[in-house]
Amino acid sequence: QVQLVESGGGLVQAGGSLRLSCAASGRTFSTNAMGWFRQAPGKEREFVAAISASGGRTYYADFVQGRFTISRDNAKNTVHLQMNSLKPEDTAVYYCAQSQYAQPMAITGFKSWGQGTQVTVSS
């Protein structure tokens, strides 16, 4: 069972940037796709970005619109989400998740989740 620990959240003004990190423990990191999701108060959890096991393919939600970049370092068992041009509507708890597949084929494939890190964007 992999353990995922997110970090890097915080309070930032609109237009600012944050870099989220997720550290994974366990032997299966480099063989599994990883993803970032978020949940705002009163809303369903939603997909933000995902990256294949090799890092060769990335996927983004439409609302990212080129502002976020997901990356991974398989040597360090980490995945990152660089978030630029943040907006107040990006305020949410951000979760790191690991898929059971090498490609992030479906949200239902994400079986392991971190505890989340709060991102708050002030206007």
Side-chain angles (χ1 to χ4, degrees):
Q1 182 75 13
V2 67
Q3 290 188 323
L4 304 173
V5 179
E6 302 95 337
S7 62
L11 173 64
V12 64
Q13 289 187 330
S17 298
L18 282 174
R19 186 176 189 243
L20 305 185
S21 297
C22 174
S25 62
R27 296 177 296 173
T28 62
F29 181 81
S30 63
T31 60
N32 297 75
M34 298 294 296
W36 287 96
F37 295 76
R38 71 185 188 183
Q39 188 167 18
K43 296 188 177 181
E44 297 287 318
R45 187 173 298 186
E46 63 179 351
F47 167 76
V48 176
I51 187 166
S52 63
S54 68
R57 301 191 71 172
T58 57
Y59 308 82
Y60 297 96
D62 289 343
F63 63 76
V64 168
Q65 297 177 328
R67 300 181 296 126
F68 297 177
T69 302
I70 188 171
S71 61
R72 66 188 296 161
D73 185 339
N74 284 345
K76 296 182 179 180
N77 282 15
T78 56
V79 61
H80 305 283
L81 184 68
Q82 177 67 44
M83 305 188 295
N84 300 326
S85 302
L86 284 162
K87 306 175 182 180
E89 51 264 43
D90 294 318
T91 295
V93 177
Y94 283 71
Y95 297 91
C96 172
Q98 185 185 64
S99 175
Q100 59 183 332
Y101 307 113
Q103 295 290 336
M105 294 186 292
I107 292 176
T108 54
F110 288 89
K111 299 298 186 182
S112 298
W113 296 82
Q115 293 299 307
T117 185
Q118 176 70 46
V119 171
T120 303
V121 184
S122 64
S123 58

PDB file of all heavy atoms in Angstrom, residues 45-81:
ATOM      1  N   ARG A  45     -15.460  16.378  -5.460  1.00  0.00           N
ATOM      2  CA  ARG A  45     -14.049  16.307  -5.815  1.00  0.00           C
ATOM      3  C   ARG A  45     -13.937  16.251  -7.335  1.00  0.00           C
ATOM      4  O   ARG A  45     -14.688  15.531  -7.987  1.00  0.00           O
ATOM      5  CB  ARG A  45     -13.406  15.077  -5.188  1.00  0.00           C
ATOM      6  CG  ARG A  45     -11.906  14.995  -5.358  1.00  0.00           C
ATOM      7  CD  ARG A  45     -11.314  13.839  -4.574  1.00  0.00           C
ATOM      8  NE  ARG A  45     -11.535  13.995  -3.151  1.00  0.00           N
ATOM      9  CZ  ARG A  45     -11.013  13.172  -2.221  1.00  0.00           C
ATOM     10  NH1 ARG A  45     -10.254  12.157  -2.604  1.00  0.00           N
ATOM     11  NH2 ARG A  45     -11.255  13.356  -0.954  1.00  0.00           N
ATOM     12  N   GLU A  46     -12.981  17.000  -7.891  1.00  0.00           N
ATOM     13  CA  GLU A  46     -12.842  17.036  -9.338  1.00  0.00           C
ATOM     14  C   GLU A  46     -11.406  16.810  -9.769  1.00  0.00           C
ATOM     15  O   GLU A  46     -10.460  17.117  -9.040  1.00  0.00           O
ATOM     16  CB  GLU A  46     -13.344  18.387  -9.890  1.00  0.00           C
ATOM     17  CG  GLU A  46     -12.579  19.590  -9.427  1.00  0.00           C
ATOM     18  CD  GLU A  46     -13.112  20.893 -10.033  1.00  0.00           C
ATOM     19  OE1 GLU A  46     -13.974  20.849 -10.939  1.00  0.00           O
ATOM     20  OE2 GLU A  46     -12.656  21.973  -9.585  1.00  0.00           O
ATOM     21  N   PHE A  47     -11.282  16.295 -10.964  1.00  0.00           N
ATOM     22  CA  PHE A  47      -9.977  16.022 -11.544  1.00  0.00           C
ATOM     23  C   PHE A  47      -9.286  17.326 -11.928  1.00  0.00           C
ATOM     24  O   PHE A  47      -9.910  18.249 -12.454  1.00  0.00           O
ATOM     25  CB  PHE A  47     -10.163  15.147 -12.785  1.00  0.00           C
ATOM     26  CG  PHE A  47      -8.959  15.023 -13.661  1.00  0.00           C
ATOM     27  CD1 PHE A  47      -7.901  14.204 -13.287  1.00  0.00           C
ATOM     28  CD2 PHE A  47      -8.858  15.727 -14.843  1.00  0.00           C
ATOM     29  CE1 PHE A  47      -6.778  14.090 -14.088  1.00  0.00           C
ATOM     30  CE2 PHE A  47      -7.737  15.616 -15.659  1.00  0.00           C
ATOM     31  CZ  PHE A  47      -6.695  14.797 -15.273  1.00  0.00           C
ATOM     32  N   VAL A  48      -7.979  17.396 -11.678  1.00  0.00           N
ATOM     33  CA  VAL A  48      -7.185  18.561 -12.053  1.00  0.00           C
ATOM     34  C   VAL A  48      -6.155  18.195 -13.127  1.00  0.00           C
ATOM     35  O   VAL A  48      -6.113  18.808 -14.185  1.00  0.00           O
ATOM     36  CB  VAL A  48      -6.456  19.146 -10.831  1.00  0.00           C
ATOM     37  CG1 VAL A  48      -5.557  20.308 -11.262  1.00  0.00           C
ATOM     38  CG2 VAL A  48      -7.451  19.601  -9.771  1.00  0.00           C
ATOM     39  N   ALA A  49      -5.338  17.198 -12.847  1.00  0.00           N
ATOM     40  CA  ALA A  49      -4.273  16.827 -13.787  1.00  0.00           C
ATOM     41  C   ALA A  49      -3.804  15.412 -13.484  1.00  0.00           C
ATOM     42  O   ALA A  49      -3.969  14.920 -12.367  1.00  0.00           O
ATOM     43  CB  ALA A  49      -3.095  17.797 -13.690  1.00  0.00           C
ATOM     44  N   ALA A  50      -3.214  14.773 -14.486  1.00  0.00           N
ATOM     45  CA  ALA A  50      -2.672  13.429 -14.294  1.00  0.00           C
ATOM     46  C   ALA A  50      -1.460  13.247 -15.184  1.00  0.00           C
ATOM     47  O   ALA A  50      -1.283  13.962 -16.182  1.00  0.00           O
ATOM     48  CB  ALA A  50      -3.720  12.374 -14.594  1.00  0.00           C
ATOM     49  N   ILE A  51      -0.636  12.287 -14.805  1.00  0.00           N
ATOM     50  CA  ILE A  51       0.585  12.014 -15.555  1.00  0.00           C
ATOM     51  C   ILE A  51       0.794  10.504 -15.593  1.00  0.00           C
ATOM     52  O   ILE A  51       0.552   9.804 -14.606  1.00  0.00           O
ATOM     53  CB  ILE A  51       1.783  12.751 -14.910  1.00  0.00           C
ATOM     54  CG1 ILE A  51       3.042  12.635 -15.767  1.00  0.00           C
ATOM     55  CG2 ILE A  51       2.029  12.283 -13.484  1.00  0.00           C
ATOM     56  CD1 ILE A  51       4.143  13.615 -15.344  1.00  0.00           C
ATOM     57  N   SER A  52       1.236  10.010 -16.732  1.00  0.00           N
ATOM     58  CA  SER A  52       1.454   8.575 -16.871  1.00  0.00           C
ATOM     59  C   SER A  52       2.639   8.115 -16.028  1.00  0.00           C
ATOM     60  O   SER A  52       3.410   8.931 -15.516  1.00  0.00           O
ATOM     61  CB  SER A  52       1.702   8.239 -18.343  1.00  0.00           C
ATOM     62  OG  SER A  52       2.888   8.880 -18.790  1.00  0.00           O
ATOM     63  N   ALA A  53       2.789   6.816 -15.909  1.00  0.00           N
ATOM     64  CA  ALA A  53       3.844   6.260 -15.062  1.00  0.00           C
ATOM     65  C   ALA A  53       5.232   6.722 -15.504  1.00  0.00           C
ATOM     66  O   ALA A  53       6.088   7.032 -14.672  1.00  0.00           O
ATOM     67  CB  ALA A  53       3.769   4.738 -15.079  1.00  0.00           C
ATOM     68  N   SER A  54       5.452   6.784 -16.788  1.00  0.00           N
ATOM     69  CA  SER A  54       6.763   7.195 -17.302  1.00  0.00           C
ATOM     70  C   SER A  54       6.941   8.705 -17.316  1.00  0.00           C
ATOM     71  O   SER A  54       8.052   9.198 -17.467  1.00  0.00           O
ATOM     72  CB  SER A  54       6.942   6.674 -18.728  1.00  0.00           C
ATOM     73  OG  SER A  54       6.048   7.341 -19.607  1.00  0.00           O
ATOM     74  N   GLY A  55       5.852   9.414 -17.173  1.00  0.00           N
ATOM     75  CA  GLY A  55       5.900  10.872 -17.264  1.00  0.00           C
ATOM     76  C   GLY A  55       5.761  11.391 -18.674  1.00  0.00           C
ATOM     77  O   GLY A  55       5.782  12.595 -18.904  1.00  0.00           O
ATOM     78  N   GLY A  56       5.599  10.482 -19.637  1.00  0.00           N
ATOM     79  CA  GLY A  56       5.563  10.887 -21.027  1.00  0.00           C
ATOM     80  C   GLY A  56       4.267  11.510 -21.487  1.00  0.00           C
ATOM     81  O   GLY A  56       4.226  12.186 -22.520  1.00  0.00           O
ATOM     82  N   ARG A  57       3.195  11.272 -20.743  1.00  0.00           N
ATOM     83  CA  ARG A  57       1.901  11.820 -21.144  1.00  0.00           C
ATOM     84  C   ARG A  57       1.258  12.522 -19.957  1.00  0.00           C
ATOM     85  O   ARG A  57       1.285  12.012 -18.830  1.00  0.00           O
ATOM     86  CB  ARG A  57       0.978  10.719 -21.659  1.00  0.00           C
ATOM     87  CG  ARG A  57       1.549   9.970 -22.857  1.00  0.00           C
ATOM     88  CD  ARG A  57       0.527   9.074 -23.500  1.00  0.00           C
ATOM     89  NE  ARG A  57      -0.505   9.827 -24.201  1.00  0.00           N
ATOM     90  CZ  ARG A  57      -1.426   9.281 -24.975  1.00  0.00           C
ATOM     91  NH1 ARG A  57      -1.480   7.970 -25.129  1.00  0.00           N
ATOM     92  NH2 ARG A  57      -2.331  10.024 -25.578  1.00  0.00           N
ATOM     93  N   THR A  58       0.693  13.685 -20.222  1.00  0.00           N
ATOM     94  CA  THR A  58       0.016  14.442 -19.189  1.00  0.00           C
ATOM     95  C   THR A  58      -1.396  14.796 -19.647  1.00  0.00           C
ATOM     96  O   THR A  58      -1.661  14.881 -20.855  1.00  0.00           O
ATOM     97  CB  THR A  58       0.779  15.733 -18.842  1.00  0.00           C
ATOM     98  OG1 THR A  58       0.951  16.523 -20.029  1.00  0.00           O
ATOM     99  CG2 THR A  58       2.144  15.415 -18.234  1.00  0.00           C
ATOM    100  N   TYR A  59      -2.254  14.998 -18.679  1.00  0.00           N
ATOM    101  CA  TYR A  59      -3.656  15.277 -18.944  1.00  0.00           C
ATOM    102  C   TYR A  59      -4.112  16.375 -17.986  1.00  0.00           C
ATOM    103  O   TYR A  59      -3.709  16.384 -16.823  1.00  0.00           O
ATOM    104  CB  TYR A  59      -4.500  14.020 -18.723  1.00  0.00           C
ATOM    105  CG  TYR A  59      -3.990  12.812 -19.464  1.00  0.00           C
ATOM    106  CD1 TYR A  59      -2.951  12.038 -18.947  1.00  0.00           C
ATOM    107  CD2 TYR A  59      -4.537  12.443 -20.685  1.00  0.00           C
ATOM    108  CE1 TYR A  59      -2.464  10.927 -19.634  1.00  0.00           C
ATOM    109  CE2 TYR A  59      -4.062  11.332 -21.380  1.00  0.00           C
ATOM    110  CZ  TYR A  59      -3.030  10.587 -20.846  1.00  0.00           C
ATOM    111  OH  TYR A  59      -2.552   9.495 -21.525  1.00  0.00           O
ATOM    112  N   TYR A  60      -4.970  17.255 -18.470  1.00  0.00           N
ATOM    113  CA  TYR A  60      -5.421  18.380 -17.652  1.00  0.00           C
ATOM    114  C   TYR A  60      -6.916  18.598 -17.810  1.00  0.00           C
ATOM    115  O   TYR A  60      -7.482  18.363 -18.880  1.00  0.00           O
ATOM    116  CB  TYR A  60      -4.690  19.663 -18.054  1.00  0.00           C
ATOM    117  CG  TYR A  60      -3.200  19.614 -17.823  1.00  0.00           C
ATOM    118  CD1 TYR A  60      -2.319  19.272 -18.839  1.00  0.00           C
ATOM    119  CD2 TYR A  60      -2.668  19.912 -16.569  1.00  0.00           C
ATOM    120  CE1 TYR A  60      -0.958  19.214 -18.629  1.00  0.00           C
ATOM    121  CE2 TYR A  60      -1.303  19.862 -16.344  1.00  0.00           C
ATOM    122  CZ  TYR A  60      -0.451  19.505 -17.376  1.00  0.00           C
ATOM    123  OH  TYR A  60       0.893  19.454 -17.152  1.00  0.00           O
ATOM    124  N   ALA A  61      -7.519  19.090 -16.742  1.00  0.00           N
ATOM    125  CA  ALA A  61      -8.905  19.522 -16.815  1.00  0.00           C
ATOM    126  C   ALA A  61      -8.987  20.793 -17.655  1.00  0.00           C
ATOM    127  O   ALA A  61      -8.017  21.564 -17.731  1.00  0.00           O
ATOM    128  CB  ALA A  61      -9.444  19.784 -15.417  1.00  0.00           C
ATOM    129  N   ASP A  62     -10.113  21.000 -18.262  1.00  0.00           N
ATOM    130  CA  ASP A  62     -10.267  22.166 -19.130  1.00  0.00           C
ATOM    131  C   ASP A  62     -10.029  23.476 -18.382  1.00  0.00           C
ATOM    132  O   ASP A  62      -9.477  24.430 -18.935  1.00  0.00           O
ATOM    133  CB  ASP A  62     -11.660  22.173 -19.746  1.00  0.00           C
ATOM    134  CG  ASP A  62     -11.844  21.079 -20.795  1.00  0.00           C
ATOM    135  OD1 ASP A  62     -10.817  20.537 -21.270  1.00  0.00           O
ATOM    136  OD2 ASP A  62     -13.003  20.753 -21.122  1.00  0.00           O
ATOM    137  N   PHE A  63     -10.442  23.528 -17.131  1.00  0.00           N
ATOM    138  CA  PHE A  63     -10.332  24.796 -16.395  1.00  0.00           C
ATOM    139  C   PHE A  63      -8.877  25.180 -16.095  1.00  0.00           C
ATOM    140  O   PHE A  63      -8.594  26.309 -15.723  1.00  0.00           O
ATOM    141  CB  PHE A  63     -11.136  24.751 -15.092  1.00  0.00           C
ATOM    142  CG  PHE A  63     -10.669  23.721 -14.104  1.00  0.00           C
ATOM    143  CD1 PHE A  63      -9.528  23.923 -13.345  1.00  0.00           C
ATOM    144  CD2 PHE A  63     -11.380  22.543 -13.913  1.00  0.00           C
ATOM    145  CE1 PHE A  63      -9.100  22.981 -12.424  1.00  0.00           C
ATOM    146  CE2 PHE A  63     -10.966  21.594 -13.001  1.00  0.00           C
ATOM    147  CZ  PHE A  63      -9.821  21.811 -12.263  1.00  0.00           C
ATOM    148  N   VAL A  64      -7.940  24.238 -16.265  1.00  0.00           N
ATOM    149  CA  VAL A  64      -6.529  24.565 -16.037  1.00  0.00           C
ATOM    150  C   VAL A  64      -6.046  25.577 -17.064  1.00  0.00           C
ATOM    151  O   VAL A  64      -5.288  26.492 -16.743  1.00  0.00           O
ATOM    152  CB  VAL A  64      -5.680  23.285 -16.074  1.00  0.00           C
ATOM    153  CG1 VAL A  64      -4.202  23.617 -16.128  1.00  0.00           C
ATOM    154  CG2 VAL A  64      -5.988  22.416 -14.871  1.00  0.00           C
ATOM    155  N   GLN A  65      -6.456  25.401 -18.308  1.00  0.00           N
ATOM    156  CA  GLN A  65      -6.196  26.369 -19.388  1.00  0.00           C
ATOM    157  C   GLN A  65      -4.733  26.795 -19.466  1.00  0.00           C
ATOM    158  O   GLN A  65      -4.430  27.974 -19.606  1.00  0.00           O
ATOM    159  CB  GLN A  65      -7.091  27.591 -19.204  1.00  0.00           C
ATOM    160  CG  GLN A  65      -8.568  27.275 -19.314  1.00  0.00           C
ATOM    161  CD  GLN A  65      -9.432  28.501 -19.059  1.00  0.00           C
ATOM    162  OE1 GLN A  65      -9.073  29.379 -18.282  1.00  0.00           O
ATOM    163  NE2 GLN A  65     -10.572  28.541 -19.717  1.00  0.00           N
ATOM    164  N   GLY A  66      -3.821  25.866 -19.339  1.00  0.00           N
ATOM    165  CA  GLY A  66      -2.409  26.160 -19.476  1.00  0.00           C
ATOM    166  C   GLY A  66      -1.753  26.779 -18.257  1.00  0.00           C
ATOM    167  O   GLY A  66      -0.577  27.131 -18.302  1.00  0.00           O
ATOM    168  N   ARG A  67      -2.480  26.903 -17.161  1.00  0.00           N
ATOM    169  CA  ARG A  67      -1.929  27.542 -15.969  1.00  0.00           C
ATOM    170  C   ARG A  67      -1.159  26.583 -15.080  1.00  0.00           C
ATOM    171  O   ARG A  67      -0.282  26.983 -14.318  1.00  0.00           O
ATOM    172  CB  ARG A  67      -3.073  28.177 -15.164  1.00  0.00           C
ATOM    173  CG  ARG A  67      -3.849  29.225 -15.932  1.00  0.00           C
ATOM    174  CD  ARG A  67      -4.953  29.834 -15.072  1.00  0.00           C
ATOM    175  NE  ARG A  67      -5.964  28.835 -14.697  1.00  0.00           N
ATOM    176  CZ  ARG A  67      -6.339  28.597 -13.445  1.00  0.00           C
ATOM    177  NH1 ARG A  67      -5.802  29.295 -12.452  1.00  0.00           N
ATOM    178  NH2 ARG A  67      -7.269  27.679 -13.183  1.00  0.00           N
ATOM    179  N   PHE A  68      -1.496  25.294 -15.122  1.00  0.00           N
ATOM    180  CA  PHE A  68      -0.893  24.293 -14.233  1.00  0.00           C
ATOM    181  C   PHE A  68      -0.016  23.339 -15.036  1.00  0.00           C
ATOM    182  O   PHE A  68      -0.299  23.048 -16.197  1.00  0.00           O
ATOM    183  CB  PHE A  68      -1.967  23.474 -13.521  1.00  0.00           C
ATOM    184  CG  PHE A  68      -2.880  24.244 -12.602  1.00  0.00           C
ATOM    185  CD1 PHE A  68      -3.920  23.586 -11.954  1.00  0.00           C
ATOM    186  CD2 PHE A  68      -2.726  25.593 -12.369  1.00  0.00           C
ATOM    187  CE1 PHE A  68      -4.781  24.251 -11.108  1.00  0.00           C
ATOM    188  CE2 PHE A  68      -3.572  26.286 -11.523  1.00  0.00           C
ATOM    189  CZ  PHE A  68      -4.605  25.614 -10.891  1.00  0.00           C
ATOM    190  N   THR A  69       1.013  22.827 -14.374  1.00  0.00           N
ATOM    191  CA  THR A  69       1.878  21.820 -14.989  1.00  0.00           C
ATOM    192  C   THR A  69       2.128  20.697 -13.995  1.00  0.00           C
ATOM    193  O   THR A  69       2.590  20.955 -12.879  1.00  0.00           O
ATOM    194  CB  THR A  69       3.217  22.424 -15.417  1.00  0.00           C
ATOM    195  OG1 THR A  69       2.991  23.500 -16.326  1.00  0.00           O
ATOM    196  CG2 THR A  69       4.079  21.367 -16.094  1.00  0.00           C
ATOM    197  N   ILE A  70       1.838  19.477 -14.401  1.00  0.00           N
ATOM    198  CA  ILE A  70       2.119  18.317 -13.565  1.00  0.00           C
ATOM    199  C   ILE A  70       3.423  17.688 -14.032  1.00  0.00           C
ATOM    200  O   ILE A  70       3.715  17.636 -15.230  1.00  0.00           O
ATOM    201  CB  ILE A  70       0.959  17.291 -13.612  1.00  0.00           C
ATOM    202  CG1 ILE A  70       1.174  16.186 -12.575  1.00  0.00           C
ATOM    203  CG2 ILE A  70       0.764  16.720 -15.006  1.00  0.00           C
ATOM    204  CD1 ILE A  70      -0.030  15.265 -12.405  1.00  0.00           C
ATOM    205  N   SER A  71       4.218  17.236 -13.067  1.00  0.00           N
ATOM    206  CA  SER A  71       5.477  16.577 -13.396  1.00  0.00           C
ATOM    207  C   SER A  71       5.768  15.533 -12.329  1.00  0.00           C
ATOM    208  O   SER A  71       5.154  15.537 -11.263  1.00  0.00           O
ATOM    209  CB  SER A  71       6.626  17.595 -13.473  1.00  0.00           C
ATOM    210  OG  SER A  71       6.801  18.243 -12.218  1.00  0.00           O
ATOM    211  N   ARG A  72       6.692  14.651 -12.623  1.00  0.00           N
ATOM    212  CA  ARG A  72       7.044  13.628 -11.645  1.00  0.00           C
ATOM    213  C   ARG A  72       8.531  13.332 -11.730  1.00  0.00           C
ATOM    214  O   ARG A  72       9.168  13.514 -12.767  1.00  0.00           O
ATOM    215  CB  ARG A  72       6.247  12.360 -11.860  1.00  0.00           C
ATOM    216  CG  ARG A  72       6.522  11.622 -13.136  1.00  0.00           C
ATOM    217  CD  ARG A  72       5.516  10.473 -13.338  1.00  0.00           C
ATOM    218  NE  ARG A  72       5.635   9.456 -12.296  1.00  0.00           N
ATOM    219  CZ  ARG A  72       4.671   8.568 -12.022  1.00  0.00           C
ATOM    220  NH1 ARG A  72       3.525   8.595 -12.694  1.00  0.00           N
ATOM    221  NH2 ARG A  72       4.867   7.659 -11.085  1.00  0.00           N
ATOM    222  N   ASP A  73       9.070  12.870 -10.612  1.00  0.00           N
ATOM    223  CA  ASP A  73      10.460  12.444 -10.533  1.00  0.00           C
ATOM    224  C   ASP A  73      10.439  11.033  -9.957  1.00  0.00           C
ATOM    225  O   ASP A  73      10.310  10.856  -8.740  1.00  0.00           O
ATOM    226  CB  ASP A  73      11.256  13.402  -9.640  1.00  0.00           C
ATOM    227  CG  ASP A  73      12.736  13.080  -9.606  1.00  0.00           C
ATOM    228  OD1 ASP A  73      13.113  11.937  -9.920  1.00  0.00           O
ATOM    229  OD2 ASP A  73      13.515  13.964  -9.254  1.00  0.00           O
ATOM    230  N   ASN A  74      10.569  10.048 -10.812  1.00  0.00           N
ATOM    231  CA  ASN A  74      10.464   8.660 -10.351  1.00  0.00           C
ATOM    232  C   ASN A  74      11.666   8.242  -9.499  1.00  0.00           C
ATOM    233  O   ASN A  74      11.564   7.316  -8.707  1.00  0.00           O
ATOM    234  CB  ASN A  74      10.316   7.726 -11.541  1.00  0.00           C
ATOM    235  CG  ASN A  74       8.914   7.783 -12.132  1.00  0.00           C
ATOM    236  OD1 ASN A  74       7.982   8.295 -11.515  1.00  0.00           O
ATOM    237  ND2 ASN A  74       8.767   7.277 -13.349  1.00  0.00           N
ATOM    238  N   ALA A  75      12.765   8.919  -9.634  1.00  0.00           N
ATOM    239  CA  ALA A  75      13.931   8.612  -8.798  1.00  0.00           C
ATOM    240  C   ALA A  75      13.707   9.058  -7.362  1.00  0.00           C
ATOM    241  O   ALA A  75      14.286   8.480  -6.433  1.00  0.00           O
ATOM    242  CB  ALA A  75      15.178   9.280  -9.361  1.00  0.00           C
ATOM    243  N   LYS A  76      12.854  10.070  -7.184  1.00  0.00           N
ATOM    244  CA  LYS A  76      12.595  10.604  -5.843  1.00  0.00           C
ATOM    245  C   LYS A  76      11.185  10.285  -5.355  1.00  0.00           C
ATOM    246  O   LYS A  76      10.792  10.742  -4.278  1.00  0.00           O
ATOM    247  CB  LYS A  76      12.811  12.118  -5.841  1.00  0.00           C
ATOM    248  CG  LYS A  76      14.240  12.533  -6.136  1.00  0.00           C
ATOM    249  CD  LYS A  76      14.397  14.039  -6.063  1.00  0.00           C
ATOM    250  CE  LYS A  76      15.847  14.443  -6.326  1.00  0.00           C
ATOM    251  NZ  LYS A  76      16.019  15.916  -6.265  1.00  0.00           N
ATOM    252  N   ASN A  77      10.435   9.511  -6.138  1.00  0.00           N
ATOM    253  CA  ASN A  77       9.061   9.150  -5.754  1.00  0.00           C
ATOM    254  C   ASN A  77       8.215  10.377  -5.432  1.00  0.00           C
ATOM    255  O   ASN A  77       7.511  10.429  -4.413  1.00  0.00           O
ATOM    256  CB  ASN A  77       9.058   8.190  -4.549  1.00  0.00           C
ATOM    257  CG  ASN A  77       9.384   6.770  -4.932  1.00  0.00           C
ATOM    258  OD1 ASN A  77       9.879   6.508  -6.026  1.00  0.00           O
ATOM    259  ND2 ASN A  77       9.139   5.836  -4.043  1.00  0.00           N
ATOM    260  N   THR A  78       8.319  11.372  -6.290  1.00  0.00           N
ATOM    261  CA  THR A  78       7.548  12.583  -6.058  1.00  0.00           C
ATOM    262  C   THR A  78       6.798  13.008  -7.326  1.00  0.00           C
ATOM    263  O   THR A  78       7.231  12.723  -8.440  1.00  0.00           O
ATOM    264  CB  THR A  78       8.438  13.754  -5.618  1.00  0.00           C
ATOM    265  OG1 THR A  78       9.468  13.955  -6.595  1.00  0.00           O
ATOM    266  CG2 THR A  78       9.065  13.494  -4.271  1.00  0.00           C
ATOM    267  N   VAL A  79       5.697  13.674  -7.117  1.00  0.00           N
ATOM    268  CA  VAL A  79       4.942  14.285  -8.194  1.00  0.00           C
ATOM    269  C   VAL A  79       4.616  15.709  -7.778  1.00  0.00           C
ATOM    270  O   VAL A  79       4.397  15.983  -6.592  1.00  0.00           O
ATOM    271  CB  VAL A  79       3.664  13.475  -8.522  1.00  0.00           C
ATOM    272  CG1 VAL A  79       2.737  13.408  -7.330  1.00  0.00           C
ATOM    273  CG2 VAL A  79       2.960  14.032  -9.732  1.00  0.00           C
ATOM    274  N   HIS A  80       4.643  16.602  -8.744  1.00  0.00           N
ATOM    275  CA  HIS A  80       4.456  18.016  -8.449  1.00  0.00           C
ATOM    276  C   HIS A  80       3.329  18.597  -9.290  1.00  0.00           C
ATOM    277  O   HIS A  80       3.016  18.098 -10.383  1.00  0.00           O
ATOM    278  CB  HIS A  80       5.741  18.798  -8.733  1.00  0.00           C
ATOM    279  CG  HIS A  80       6.931  18.269  -8.022  1.00  0.00           C
ATOM    280  ND1 HIS A  80       7.158  18.497  -6.681  1.00  0.00           N
ATOM    281  CD2 HIS A  80       7.969  17.504  -8.452  1.00  0.00           C
ATOM    282  CE1 HIS A  80       8.277  17.913  -6.315  1.00  0.00           C
ATOM    283  NE2 HIS A  80       8.788  17.291  -7.378  1.00  0.00           N
ATOM    284  N   LEU A  81       2.758  19.670  -8.775  1.00  0.00           N
ATOM    285  CA  LEU A  81       1.785  20.438  -9.544  1.00  0.00           C
ATOM    286  C   LEU A  81       2.176  21.908  -9.419  1.00  0.00           C
ATOM    287  O   LEU A  81       2.024  22.498  -8.345  1.00  0.00           O
ATOM    288  CB  LEU A  81       0.361  20.218  -9.030  1.00  0.00           C
ATOM    289  CG  LEU A  81      -0.732  20.905  -9.843  1.00  0.00           C
ATOM    290  CD1 LEU A  81      -0.847  20.258 -11.223  1.00  0.00           C
ATOM    291  CD2 LEU A  81      -2.068  20.844  -9.116  1.00  0.00           C
TER     292      LEU A  81
END
